[in-house]
Amino acid sequence: MRTRLTGRSIPSRLATIGATVGCALIGAAVVHPVAGFAAETPESAYLSAINQERTAHGLRPLVEQHKLSQVAASWSSHMAADNTLAHNPRLATAVSNWQALGENVGEGPDIDSLDRAFWNSPEHRANILDPSYTEVGIGTVTRDGIMWITVDFREPMHAAPAERAATHHSVRAEHWTSARPPHRVLRMGSRGHDVSRVQRNLHVAADGVFGPVTRAAVRHFQRHHHHKATGVVGHRTWRSITR
C-alpha cells in the first residue's frame, strides 16, 4: 500500500503504501491554496485540499467513505498511542470490497504542514493522484501537540476501471512493504511505477507504459517460468518477476 515535507519548525514524517489489483499511478506538480484550514476539521480540510489537487489535474474528486474513515481514525489513534509512524498491516482485511487500496500516513504539527509534506513527496502524491481511486477515508488524532494522520484510498470492486509524517527533529519519507504484494494487475494500457519495475526486471525500456513490447516480454517470461502466457501480470507473475 503507496507515500508522500514541511511547514514549521516541527517537520513532518511520512510513510506510504499501495496494494492494488487495478490501474496506474500518475504524478505532477501543483500548488494549491491552503487558506481556511482553521475553520474546518482537519479531515474536511485535507479532503478539500486533495480534491483541489485532483481536479486541477483533470481527475474526479474523491468521495469520503464513512467506513474507510473509521479504519483511518482507528489507525491514527493506534499510531499516536504507540508514538510510532507505521502502516496498518491489516488494511487489506479491515477494508472490504476493494480492487485497489492505498494508504498515506504521517506525523506533524498541523494539517497544513502535513498537506504540504504529502504533496512534496512523489510517492505520497502518486496515491493522491491515482486515477483508479474514487473513495477516501481520513482520520487524525492530536496528542502532545503532534497530529497523526491516516489517509486510506479505495477503488471499490464494483467500480469501472479508470482510464488507462515524521520525527520531531528530522524530515524523512519511507517506503513500506506489506505481506500483500503492493502492486496492481498490469496489462496493455497500464502505466506507472509498477510497470517500470516489471520492465526493468524484464530488461526492456522502462518507460512506465505497458505496451506491445512489454506484453511480449511478459509472455516470454511466463512461458519460460511455467505460467500461462497471457501477457498480463497478475499476482503469481508479479511474484516471479520481482522476487
Side-chain angles (χ1 to χ4, degrees):
M1 282 155 12
R2 272 159 333 344
T3 296
R4 326 96 333 200
L5 258 180
T6 100
R8 304 189 334 196
S9 58
I10 302 176
S12 303
R13 281 195 306 150
L14 307 176
T16 185
I17 182 170
T20 70
V21 295
C23 289
L25 297 177
I26 63 171
V30 69
V31 177
H32 61 80
V34 294
F37 278 0
E40 304 175 275
T41 67
E43 291 82 0
S44 65
Y46 189 60
L47 177 60
S48 176
I50 60 178
N51 277 338
Q52 286 182 40
E53 292 156 354
R54 286 177 65 89
T55 55
H57 286 77
L59 301 173
R60 292 175 297 175
L62 297 171
V63 176
E64 189 274 336
Q65 210 277 338
H66 181 62
K67 289 185 178 179
L68 277 179
S69 292
Q70 288 181 319
V71 172
S74 176
W75 187 248
S76 291
S77 295
H78 173 84
M79 291 191 297
D82 282 3
N83 195 31
T84 301
L85 182 68
H87 281 284
N88 184 350
R90 299 180 181 85
L91 181 63
T93 54
V95 177
S96 61
N97 186 40
W98 61 271
Q99 60 180 320
L101 278 180
E103 180 174 82
N104 290 341
V105 297
E107 168 202 345
D110 51 40
I111 198 65
D112 189 347
S113 63
L114 284 165
D115 170 53
R116 294 180 185 179
F118 283 140
W119 187 250
N120 289 332
S121 166
E123 296 85 2
H124 295 80
R125 189 167 64 241
N127 270 346
I128 295 170
L129 293 181
D130 191 317
S132 65
Y133 296 139
T134 60
E135 298 176 345
V136 68
I138 305 169
T140 68
V141 171
T142 300
R143 177 168 297 193
D144 298 327
I146 298 299
M147 178 177 289
W148 300 80
I149 186 171
T150 303
V151 186
D152 290 330
F153 303 88
R154 180 174 74 167
E155 177 189 5
M157 187 62 71
H158 57 74
E163 287 186 21
R164 317 256 170 226
T167 66
H168 303 332
H169 304 293
S170 66
V171 174
R172 180 169 62 92
E174 61 185 29
H175 297 283
W176 185 81
T177 303
S178 67
R180 191 180 187 96
H183 87 288
R184 60 193 56 78
V185 172
L186 304 175
R187 52 172 59 87
M188 285 288 289
S190 295
R191 295 171 178 265
H193 302 300
D194 291 339
V195 175
S196 297
R197 182 175 178 185
V198 167
Q199 290 170 327
R200 285 192 295 271
N201 286 6
L202 296 180
H203 308 292
V204 299
D207 59 3
V209 179
F210 199 119
V213 173
T214 302
R215 180 174 62 181
V218 169
R219 284 176 172 166
H220 179 79
F221 178 91
Q222 290 170 326
R223 283 193 294 269
H224 285 79
H225 290 80
H226 310 291
H227 299 318
K228 187 175 180 180
T230 62
V232 175
V233 180
H235 289 285
R236 186 181 175 205
T237 300
W238 171 269
R239 288 195 297 269
S240 296
I241 290 175
T242 60
R243 67 186 176 187

